[in-house]
Amino acid sequence: MSDWPLNLAGFESAARDRLPQMVYDYYAGGALDEITLRANRDAYDEIALRYRVLVDVSRRSLATGIFGRSLETPILFAPTAFHRLACEEGEMATVRAAKELGTLMVLSSLSTVPMEQVIAEYEHVWFQLYVYRDRGLTRELVARAEAAGAAAIVLTVDAQIWGRRERDVRNQFHLPQGISVANALPGGYGDMPEREGDSGLAAYVNSLFDPALSWEDIAWLKSVTSLPVLLKGIVHPDDARLAVEHGADGVMVSNHGGRQLDTACATIRALPDVVAAVEGRAPVFVDGGIRRGTDVVKALAYGASAVFVGRPVLWGLAVGGDAGIVAAIRSLQHELDVALALCGAATPAQVTADILAPW
Ligand SMILES: Cc1cc2nc3c(=O)[nH]c(=O)nc-3n(C[C@H](O)[C@H](O)[C@H](O)COP(=O)(O)O)c2cc1C
């Protein structure tokens, strides 16, 4: 099909036309004044590319290795909740797209399809964990993910208390009939009731997730799984150092796509200090506001092993199910291929920080 939108902005506007307002706002929105949401994106435009020339780029590859496994691209799927709000098949469509692209999908704890079904579909699925106050349920989620074949656990550390998302409060965001938190059904936490004058999701999270989570719990998590454990939501270099010291196998620089702490720094600004603090002891990833191939080049140049995209996957899903995601992410990959080549790099690993400059 050749009439897909031209770029990710086009996918977002097509998705907006298709989705109910409550769902579009939930996907698109951020916390409070959405300053961080905008800054994540805008910060990329503040970095110029001081490209290199006369490098043979006739043979190029986007192939990327992570934890000894080979992926076809450094553009990976960040965990996002509730895919059945965008498309009937929900996370099953997303995982099929990840497989088609040869990339990796992080499956959210808040999946609307049971994790076993999604993970069984593809070898490169990581499971994103929210820690419930009920540690028995949490432990069971980790055990189920491991038994199902997930390749890593991603612990989200920036959401102990839910960020205030005014769009969701205004819309009294809730899950429609027939859609539930499918992973938590055995624990009785599958439903997210509508709350008068509030976001149903904020009420769900604030009553069930554990705000007491602390560094000691990383050892606990590592003790209940043999999978690599990554920490997602780090922006401070001291936290990056602590993450590695507590045994994290990877660090994801993220501010939850601007949905948690508004005025949190743009992730691409946080990345260089985190990379320096980690000192090569673990891979570092980044997400937030990546919408153009040149954004990916900048993240790789600062030392990210790969990048994650959140909303672009949802826009593709809303526009055309798995085929829509493949088309959306291919448009970004195409831009990345061109940008890398024009920077004088034939592979992601060849990009270095010296090509980044102020305007
Ligand atoms: C609709 C939506 C739902 C999300 N759900 C989760 C989630 O369940 N777990 C999580 O760790 N992060 C979640 N995130 C954050 C993403 O993993 C990621 O950090 C963010 O979307 C990256 O920014 P981008 O959307 O600008 O690419 C969500 C983001 C969005 C937009």
Side-chain angles (χ1 to χ4, degrees):
M1 196 165 148
S2 59
D3 55 356
W4 294 112
L6 197 58
N7 55 33
L8 292 181
F11 275 93
E12 171 164 5
S13 86
R16 182 180 201 155
D17 291 343
R18 281 171 175 74
L19 292 170
Q21 184 77 30
M22 180 191 78
V23 174
Y24 174 76
D25 277 347
Y26 168 66
Y27 286 166
L32 301 184
D33 295 311
E34 303 187 337
I35 290 168
T36 294
L37 174 69
R38 285 190 296 278
N40 276 348
R41 168 91 272 290
D42 293 347
Y44 281 101
D45 296 341
E46 290 160 9
I47 303 167
L49 289 169
R50 199 173 55 163
Y51 59 89
R52 302 297 302 271
V53 298
L54 293 175
V55 178
D56 178 355
V57 290
S58 58
R59 289 161 58 86
R60 300 186 301 281
S61 165
L62 296 181
T64 298
I66 297 171
F67 297 139
R69 297 183 178 208
S70 183
L71 302 171
E72 287 175 37
T73 166
I75 301 169
L76 321 179
F77 294 4
T80 49
F82 309 142
H83 290 195
R84 289 190 60 220
L85 292 176
C87 155
E88 180 54 36
E89 289 185 287
E91 288 78 1
M92 290 310 294
T94 313
V95 74
R96 278 203 305 272
K99 193 172 176 178
E100 168 86 20
L101 290 160
T103 186
L104 178 151
M105 169 183 180
V106 185
L107 177 68
S108 170
S109 271
L110 300 176
S111 173
T112 47
V113 175
M115 66 165 100
E116 286 79 3
Q117 287 176 37
V118 182
I119 298 169
E121 186 72 22
Y122 186 39
E123 62 188 301
H124 299 302
V125 178
W126 294 353
F127 180 71
Q128 177 268 326
L129 182 70
Y130 281 131
V131 174
Y132 284 81
R133 291 171 199 250
D134 179 343
R135 287 298 169 95
L137 171 68
T138 308
R139 195 183 173 135
E140 192 183 308
L141 287 172
V142 174
R144 280 172 55 196
E146 188 162 358
I153 302 292
V154 174
L155 176 68
T156 299
V157 295
D158 61 8
Q160 274 158 284
I161 301 279
W162 219 230
R164 189 157 169 87
R165 304 168 192 169
E166 293 181 352
R167 299 198 212 199
D168 294 349
V169 176
R170 210 173 287 124
N171 296 331
Q172 298 190 30
F173 176 79
H174 61 278
L175 292 180
Q177 279 285 324
I179 298 185
S180 59
V181 183
N183 286 330
L185 288 171
Y189 296 149
D191 293 327
M192 209 187 68
E194 235 169 298
R195 298 284 166 98
E196 192 75 17
D198 198 358
S199 151
L201 179 58
Y204 177 96
V205 167
N206 286 333
S207 66
L208 297 179
F209 290 1
D210 191 354
L213 196 69
S214 72
W215 286 108
E216 284 77 68
D217 295 306
I218 309 304
W220 168 78
L221 180 57
K222 298 248 339 158
S223 78
V224 301
T225 180
S226 60
L227 296 175
V229 170
L230 296 93
L231 302 193
K232 172 176 181 283
I234 286 182
V235 294
H236 198 295
D238 290 350
D239 280 340
R241 223 170 273 123
L242 283 168
V244 176
E245 285 164 16
H246 283 81
D249 300 287
V251 170
M252 295 171 63
V253 175
S254 175
N255 53 34
H256 218 104
R259 297 162 75 81
Q260 285 294 99
L261 176 67
D262 198 23
T263 74
C265 58
T267 49
I268 192 65
R269 293 281 174 222
L271 178 64
D273 288 344
V274 168
V275 168
V278 168
E279 292 178 314
R281 291 172 288 173
V284 176
F285 305 91
V286 67
D287 74 18
I290 291 165
R291 300 292 181 270
R292 286 292 193 184
T294 48
D295 302 343
V296 184
V297 170
K298 292 166 190 177
L300 295 171
Y302 271 136
S305 295
V307 305
F308 287 87
V309 288
R311 295 177 183 84
V313 172
L314 297 170
W315 306 143
L317 182 66
V319 171
D322 51 343
I325 298 176
V326 169
I329 301 303
R330 285 228 165 104
S331 76
L332 184 61
Q333 267 175 201
H334 178 68
E335 292 175 16
L336 171 60
D337 176 53
V338 172
L340 276 176
L342 292 178
C343 283
T347 66
Q350 286 178 10
V351 203
T352 45
D354 57 281
I355 66 161
L356 303 177
W359 282 104

